[in-house]
């Protein structure tokens, strides 16, 4: 009786170890070649001169076109507001010339804050915003980072990606909130023009 | 700043609200407190703190947009730690807001809760309006 119990305990422990190992190895970030996981997204964009909010399924948003998704830590944070996003707004036209139909800036912020931020940036209709208020989309991509130390809670890492027909074609992952040339618009412009040339 | 250092030896009003830039908070609830802040001071309230689960950056921009000036101060409870300690949180995930503060107002005297007006959720009624707190502050003067 005692031996069977010991066996059960050992097998249980072993299976837990194996499953945890599997989970760890499965929990990697979204990578090139993968499809964007199906999610309902809150999209904020300027329609007829006014910022509107709509819930759209990611599949219908990203299929049959080439888009750029820019992940950023937070609305109104210094880098996002003064450096990172303004770049994408300024070069939006150049990205379009490279075959990018739309640019989506995504952060773990609610729709209200995101809309106010879009107005403040003067984004107009150059870039659209995804308000990932509960962080669902960011977590599905495994692109979240804990910025609780800064009073921000769980947020998106800074990254940029080219998504073609719902598949990740290119990913530039800063691995955290910092801003380097990796997630800058210049990098994505180069990557999208190469792809465009190789069409 | 630790809460005790902030609240001891004085009388303050704490106004909990669901979120910066949300229509009711921005259009009605907080502007009331900004407008009547001088009247609240006359009843012996030293400071008014507006508190929501938003990060410091969003909160600072919101305070600017409201033209709060020095009339009310803001507590940016970014991770929700303070709100959870008060057990005043509510789940607004269905609106894409996540865990937020309920709407409420309270008078805190020497770090002790003297009066609490709890809306129980995000709704805005006379209960959490500045008129209610003004009346209560005058009574307890």
């Amino acid at each position: 009786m005692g031996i069977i119990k010991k066996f059960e305990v050992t097998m249980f422990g072993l299976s837990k170890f194996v499953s945890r190992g599997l989970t760890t190895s499965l929990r990697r970030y979204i990578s090139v070649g993968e499809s964007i996981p199906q999610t309902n997204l809150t999209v904020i964009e300027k329609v007829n001169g006014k910022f509107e909010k709509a819930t759209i399924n990611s599949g219908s948003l990203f299929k049959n076109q080439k888009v750029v998704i820019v992940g950023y830590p937070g609305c109104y944070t210094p880098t996002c507001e003064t450096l990172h996003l303004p770049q994408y707004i300024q070069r939006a036209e150049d990205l379009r010339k490279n075959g990018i139909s739309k640019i989506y800036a995504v952060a773990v912020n609610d729709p209200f804050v995101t809309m106010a931020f879009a107005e403040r940036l003067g984004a107009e209709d150059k870039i659209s915003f995804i308000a990932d208020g509960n962080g669902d989309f960011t977590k599905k991509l495994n692109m979240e980072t804990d910025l609780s130390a800064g009073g921000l809670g769980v947020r998106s890492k800074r990254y940029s990606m080219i998504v073609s027909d719902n598949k990740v074609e290119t990913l530039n992952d800063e691995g955290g909130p910092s801003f380097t040339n990796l997630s800058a618009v210049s990098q994505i412009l180069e990557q999208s023009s190469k792809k465009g040339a190789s069409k | 700043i630790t809460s005790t250092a902030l609240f001891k030896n004085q009388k303050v009003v704490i106004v909990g609200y669901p979120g910066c830039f949300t229509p009711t908070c921005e259009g009605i609830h907080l502007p009331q407190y900004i407008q009547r802040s001088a009247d609240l001071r006359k009843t012996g309230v030293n400071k008014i703190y507006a508190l929501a689960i938003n990060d410091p950056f969003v909160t600072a921009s919101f305070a600017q947009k409201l033209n709060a000036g020095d009339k009310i101060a803001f507590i940016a409870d970014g991770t929700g730690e303070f709100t959870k300690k008060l057990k005043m949180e509510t789940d607004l995930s269905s609106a894409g807001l996540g865990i937020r503060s309920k709407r409420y107002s309270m008078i805190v005297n020497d770090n002790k809760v003297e009066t609490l007006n709890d809306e129980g959720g995000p709704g805005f009624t006379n209960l959490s309006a500045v008129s209610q707190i003004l009346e209560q502050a005058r009574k307890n003067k």
Side-chain angles (χ1 to χ4, degrees), chain B residues 61-79:
Chain B
S61 301
F62 185 55
Q64 245 185 2
K65 184 155 181 191
L66 285 178
N67 275 323
D70 56 357
K71 298 200 169 86
I72 69 175
F74 289 76
I75 295 173
D77 191 21
T79 54

Side-chain angles (χ1 to χ4, degrees), chain B residues 19-41:
Chain B
C20 297
F21 297 106
T22 58
T24 307
C25 307
E26 179 172 343
I28 315 170
H29 191 203
L30 295 191
Q32 282 190 346
Y33 281 83
I34 296 170
Q35 280 156 28
R36 307 299 298 276
S37 57
D39 293 324
L40 271 169
R41 292 229 167 76

Side-chain angles (χ1 to χ4, degrees), chain A residues 3 5 8 15 19 36 41-42 45 51 79 94 104-105 112 115 117 124 128 130 132 138 145-146 152 158 164 179 192:
Chain A
I3 297 170
K5 214 172 185 175
E8 280 174 359
S15 68
S19 69
I36 299 288
L41 301 172
T42 304
E45 50 190 8
F51 274 107
T79 307
D94 293 326
Y104 292 99
F112 302 101
M115 217 181 270
F117 184 55
E124 293 302 311
S128 307
I130 294 170
D132 192 22
T138 300
T145 181
D146 191 347
L152 291 156
R158 200 178 301 277
S164 191
F179 177 53
S192 56

Side-chain angles (χ1 to χ4, degrees), chain A residues 75-78 109-113 116 120 133-134 148 150-153 155, chain B residues 20-23 54-58 61 64 78-79 93 95-98 100:
Chain A
C75 297
Y76 293 104
T77 58
N109 280 113
D110 67 63
F112 302 101
V113 166
R120 177 149 164 128
N134 303 324
S148 297
L152 291 156
R155 292 299 176 105
Chain B
C20 297
F21 297 106
T22 58
N54 281 111
D55 66 62
F57 303 100
V58 166
S61 301
Q64 245 185 2
T79 54
S93 298
L97 290 156
R100 292 300 174 106

Side-chain angles (χ1 to χ4, degrees), chain A:
Chain A
M1 214 47 171
I3 297 170
I4 294 172
K5 214 172 185 175
K6 212 176 177 179
F7 177 73
E8 280 174 359
V9 168
T10 312
M11 283 310 290
F12 180 67
L14 195 66
S15 68
K16 267 214 138 166
F17 175 74
V18 168
S19 69
R20 204 182 302 134
L22 270 175
T23 316
T24 312
S25 67
L26 281 173
R27 188 174 165 70
R28 51 176 174 43
Y29 313 127
I30 188 93
S31 39
V32 174
E34 283 186 271
S35 296
I36 299 288
Q38 287 268 19
T39 329
N40 280 333
L41 301 172
T42 304
V43 181
I44 287 162
E45 50 190 8
K46 207 152 206 188
V47 175
N48 293 328
K50 223 182 99 191
F51 274 107
E52 302 275 349
K53 177 180 83 162
T55 304
I56 311 174
N57 182 268
S58 58
S60 34
L61 205 63
F62 301 140
K63 75 173 186 219
N64 292 334
Q65 56 176 340
K66 196 178 261 193
V67 305
V68 162
I69 302 181
V70 187
Y72 65 102
C75 297
Y76 293 104
T77 58
T79 307
C80 306
E81 180 171 342
T82 59
L83 288 165
H84 191 204
L85 294 192
Q87 282 190 345
Y88 281 84
I89 295 170
Q90 280 157 29
R91 306 300 298 274
E93 271 315 298
D94 293 326
L95 274 168
R96 293 231 165 77
K97 287 182 193 143
N98 289 348
I100 305 287
S101 335
K102 274 199 135 150
I103 303 156
Y104 292 99
V106 57
V108 181
N109 280 113
D110 67 63
F112 302 101
V113 166
T114 305
M115 217 181 270
F117 184 55
E119 289 268 16
R120 177 149 164 128
L121 284 177
E124 293 302 311
D125 57 355
K126 299 203 167 81
I127 70 175
S128 307
F129 292 78
I130 294 170
D132 192 22
N134 303 324
D136 294 332
F137 183 54
T138 300
K139 284 176 193 161
K140 277 188 177 174
L141 299 176
N142 284 334
M143 293 301 270
E144 77 267 28
T145 181
D146 191 347
L147 301 179
S148 297
L152 291 156
V154 176
R155 292 299 176 105
S156 171
K157 290 190 280 187
R158 200 178 301 277
Y159 64 87
S160 65
M161 57 163 103
I162 300 175
V163 174
S164 191
D165 196 19
N166 206 42
K167 277 203 172 66
V168 179
E169 205 177 73
T170 307
L171 171 62
N172 305 302
D173 179 7
E174 295 278 13
S178 17
F179 177 53
T180 72
N181 274 335
L182 183 65
S183 61
V185 73
S186 49
Q187 171 86 344
I188 267 262
L189 268 165
E190 204 183 303
Q191 291 163 328
S192 56
S193 67
K194 274 190 195 145
K195 298 281 178 186
S198 69
K199 249 195 227 170

